[in-house]
Amino acid sequence: RAVVRTLQFNFLTPARTEDDREADHQAKNQELSRISPKSGSLSHIIRTYKAACTRMIHQITDQPFAWHGRYHDRIIRNYAEMQRIENYIRNNPEVWLQDKFFL
């Protein structure tokens, strides 16, 4: 036969003041500022570019639009690598209809 025990906890927590809430808010803002992309960084440039494009797209169409959540960045080390990436960018749309993720 199983024995079931119920534990009850009574907690008395001190009331939070407006100063406590403000300190928490400031700490959260400082942490978000610390981890946010810095001005001039690649992440900041891409975020700014995407925001501007999104605004323009929404102005000219009512069609749903969304960016991929992430991007892949890579330092292009030589001309041959740049050519390979350029060919991929140019030719990739041709195979979208065969892609299992194409909507």
Side-chain angles (χ1 to χ4, degrees):
R1 178 173 124 185
V3 176
V4 178
R5 295 183 186 197
T6 302
L7 299 176
Q8 288 187 325
F9 296 95
N10 293 319
F11 291 103
L12 293 175
T13 57
R16 294 186 41 84
T17 66
E18 185 62 32
D19 288 342
D20 293 334
R21 285 188 287 277
E22 181 61 28
D24 289 347
H25 183 71
Q26 286 179 359
K28 180 180 176 183
N29 283 345
Q30 286 174 346
E31 179 62 13
L32 289 175
S33 177
R34 186 185 69 77
I35 64 174
S36 293
K38 303 302 178 244
S39 181
S41 69
L42 180 60
S43 295
H44 184 262
I45 292 166
I46 290 174
R47 182 197 310 184
T48 303
Y49 172 77
K50 284 180 161 184
C53 290
T54 300
R55 278 191 299 277
M56 290 171 52
I57 291 166
H58 286 145
Q59 287 174 354
I60 63 174
T61 184
D62 291 333
Q63 295 293 317
F65 173 79
W67 293 94
H68 285 279
R70 301 215 174 256
Y71 64 92
H72 176 77
D73 59 338
R74 175 168 170 77
I75 297 172
I76 300 173
R77 302 191 185 283
N78 56 46
Y79 185 75
E81 185 174 5
M82 185 181 76
Q83 288 293 104
R84 184 179 55 74
I85 293 168
E86 183 179 327
N87 287 336
Y88 172 81
I89 292 169
R90 287 178 191 257
N91 299 323
N92 187 264
E94 295 174 9
V95 298
W96 284 355
L97 292 176
Q98 291 82 38
D99 191 314
K100 68 181 179 179
F101 297 112
F102 184 75
L103 301 177

